[in-house]
Amino acid sequence: MFADDTKLYNRVQKNSSKGGDDIQEDLNHLKDWSDTWLLRFNASKCKCMHMGINNNERSYVLGEEEIMTAKEEKDLGVYITDDCTPSLQCTKAANKAMTSLRIIKRTFKHIDKESFPILYKAYIRPHVEYCVQAWNPYLVKDIKAIEKIQRRATKLVPSLREKPYQERLEELNLYPLEIRRLRGDLIEVFKILNGLEDIHPDQLFTMSHNTGTRGHKFKLFKRQLKKGLDLRKFFFSQRVVDVWNNLPEDVVGVNTTNQFKGKIDQHWKENGYGVLKGLNL
């Protein structure tokens, strides 16, 4: 028997007198439970990560062994850091994708426009899109590092090698990766609001009551953030609100996910990417 991926977390308020006592108390309960049921935790494999500028960074013990502190940790395939930025994950994902790109380049002497989508979508793109809603890059350097993978990959097709990047994408019927990430966000919002995901919409979003005469009836309310919370505005539940609210009624009002995908593709094809502001294309 194994007890894996067990996590404890607690938000310690600034100037709190307790300062993490709750977590130590929970660790003590876990130790007692593990001793009772003979399912002992390996304290040497446990890690503690301190987040936030006001964190007192106290130490914790599991039994008699102190838990080591980590600045970064891989959790279910995604790298988490103590500053909550996705830069490390972007670097790791880009490196994996680049390795796959080199292998394909060495293995196949000639790749045409018909075979490229099969290889690219199966072996390269999944590395830069795995669980991307959780680590969506927002720094320009990270966005460019991820987009660089697709830029290089599209040059595998000899007939397209000398053409500009945007033309290569059109020939191969591909979106820029930044657009694909936004498209994925919108699809996820549609599924959540229509009960197609096992999560209640209230856990992430608040419906707007100020629909007026513009926009659609599924508009979301955008929370006002406190100063200094720049990182928070890039979280999924915040970054997607403006783009979702600007979609027309005939796009968001469909019944199925496939219909939504088709409608949003048609909307962007007819109006161009100009309807999306602030992208680093």
Side-chain angles (χ1 to χ4, degrees):
M1 294 188 298
F2 298 92
D4 202 4
D5 290 325
T6 303
K7 300 176 183 64
L8 298 176
Y9 70 93
N10 185 36
R11 180 183 177 187
V12 180
Q13 299 289 344
K14 186 177 181 180
N15 300 323
S16 171
S17 60
K18 300 187 72 173
D21 290 346
D22 289 343
I23 286 194
Q24 185 57 62
E25 185 177 340
D26 287 341
L27 287 170
N28 296 338
H29 287 316
L30 275 177
K31 181 64 169 60
D32 294 339
W33 177 88
S34 67
D35 290 341
T36 301
W37 293 98
L38 304 180
L39 186 62
R40 294 184 175 88
F41 292 98
N42 188 343
S44 64
K45 292 185 177 181
C46 297
K47 304 284 182 64
C48 171
M49 184 177 292
H50 302 290
M51 296 181 174
I53 58 176
N54 296 315
N55 198 302
N56 56 17
E57 298 190 7
R58 65 164 291 176
S59 59
Y60 300 95
V61 295
L62 185 59
E64 298 180 354
E65 189 169 346
E66 183 174 341
I67 298 176
M68 68 178 69
T69 301
K71 294 290 185 180
E72 61 189 51
E73 190 66 23
K74 187 177 181 181
D75 183 25
L76 300 178
V78 177
Y79 285 88
I80 308 298
T81 59
D82 59 353
D83 60 2
C84 293
T85 60
S87 295
L88 178 62
Q89 172 64 22
C90 292
T91 300
K92 297 288 187 180
N95 289 342
K96 283 186 177 181
M98 191 62 74
T99 299
S100 297
L101 179 58
R102 293 191 188 103
I103 293 174
I104 290 175
K105 192 174 182 179
R106 290 197 304 264
T107 305
F108 296 88
K109 293 184 178 180
H110 180 77
I111 300 176
D112 55 26
K113 290 195 292 185
E114 287 71 32
S115 58
F116 173 82
I118 300 173
L119 296 171
Y120 176 65
K121 294 177 182 179
Y123 297 108
I124 300 175
R125 194 167 68 184
H127 289 302
V128 295
E129 292 192 339
Y130 169 72
C131 203
V132 72
Q133 272 77 24
W135 57 270
N136 193 303
Y138 58 86
L139 297 176
V140 174
K141 67 180 184 67
D142 293 334
I143 294 172
K144 289 183 176 180
I146 296 297
E147 198 69 42
K148 181 180 179 180
I149 302 300
Q150 185 164 267
R151 285 179 180 273
R152 289 194 176 184
T154 53
K155 289 186 177 182
L156 290 175
V157 182
S159 61
L160 303 178
R161 195 167 294 160
E162 302 302 323
K163 294 186 177 182
Y165 179 50
Q166 193 60 45
E167 289 187 25
R168 297 200 300 271
L169 294 181
E170 292 174 0
E171 291 272 358
L172 296 169
N173 195 28
L174 295 174
Y175 278 124
L177 290 178
E178 190 173 8
I179 296 291
R180 268 189 61 84
R181 291 193 293 271
L182 178 58
R183 181 178 183 269
D185 281 351
L186 294 173
I187 292 171
E188 196 63 29
V189 174
F190 176 84
K191 292 164 72 174
I192 291 172
L193 295 183
N194 286 274
L196 302 176
E197 294 282 25
D198 189 18
I199 180 173
H200 196 278
D202 291 346
Q203 292 182 254
L204 290 173
F205 305 112
T206 301
M207 303 306 296
S208 175
H209 300 292
N210 184 24
T211 55
T213 57
R214 295 183 177 182
H216 49 79
K217 60 181 179 181
F218 300 105
K219 290 179 70 174
L220 303 174
F221 173 75
K222 190 170 185 178
R223 299 179 178 90
Q224 296 297 318
L225 303 178
K226 296 180 181 179
K227 291 183 179 180
L229 292 180
D230 288 344
L231 181 65
R232 180 70 176 87
K233 69 183 180 182
F234 297 109
F235 285 6
F236 170 71
S237 58
Q238 283 287 116
R239 67 175 182 257
V240 76
V241 172
D242 288 338
V243 181
W244 172 265
N245 288 345
N246 287 330
L247 291 175
E249 176 76 33
D250 64 316
V251 174
V252 301
V254 295
N255 298 317
T256 67
T257 304
N258 285 335
Q259 287 177 343
F260 179 77
K261 292 178 181 178
K263 283 287 188 179
I264 198 170
D265 289 339
Q266 181 183 355
H267 174 62
W268 285 348
K269 184 176 181 180
E270 293 175 352
N271 296 276
Y273 299 148
V275 297
L276 306 172
K277 299 181 180 179
L279 296 178
N280 297 276
L281 300 178

